[in-house]
């Protein structure tokens, strides 16, 4: 079984990826991506990278104590 504190970390990565996909889909709906839409895509990408980086480091280290000590919080910035 997985420790309970891994579930929020996993959910955060999945949610951030879903948010990025939603921004991309909305921007591409008219077959044109404006500069403003491009900025939104970049912002969501940066948030996804931040959410994922900590999780990946913990996986590489085989030590998830950092996730236990500092549970992730989903940031809903630019959408």
């Amino acid at each position: 079984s997985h420790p309970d504190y891994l579930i929020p970390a996993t959910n955060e990565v999945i949610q951030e990826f879903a948010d990025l996909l939603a921004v991309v889909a909305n921007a591409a709906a008219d077959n044109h991506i404006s500069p403003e839409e491009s900025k939104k895509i970049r912002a969501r990408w940066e948030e996804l990278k931040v959410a994922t980086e900590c999780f990946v480091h913990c996986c590489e280290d085989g030590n998830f104590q950092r996730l236990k000590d500092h549970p992730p919080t989903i940031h809903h910035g630019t959408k």
Side-chain angles (χ1 to χ4, degrees):
S1 67
H2 297 289
D4 289 341
Y5 57 85
L6 285 180
I7 294 169
T10 303
N11 287 345
E12 179 182 21
V13 171
I14 292 167
Q15 183 62 55
E16 291 295 338
F17 187 67
D19 290 348
L20 172 63
L21 291 177
V23 171
V24 170
N26 287 335
D30 62 357
N31 293 320
H32 174 76
I33 297 178
S34 71
E36 184 59 34
E37 290 168 327
S38 179
K39 288 178 187 177
K40 289 179 182 179
I41 291 169
R42 171 57 68 186
R44 294 306 309 164
W45 171 244
E46 294 301 328
E47 290 190 33
L48 173 60
K49 288 191 314 186
V50 169
T52 307
E53 192 65 28
C54 177
F55 187 83
V56 170
H57 277 287
C58 289
C59 291
E60 291 171 337
D61 294 344
N63 182 354
F64 295 94
Q65 188 65 41
R66 195 173 357 167
L67 293 176
K68 184 177 181 181
D69 294 342
H70 304 286
T73 56
I74 295 178
H75 308 284
H76 291 289
T78 307
K79 281 195 175 184

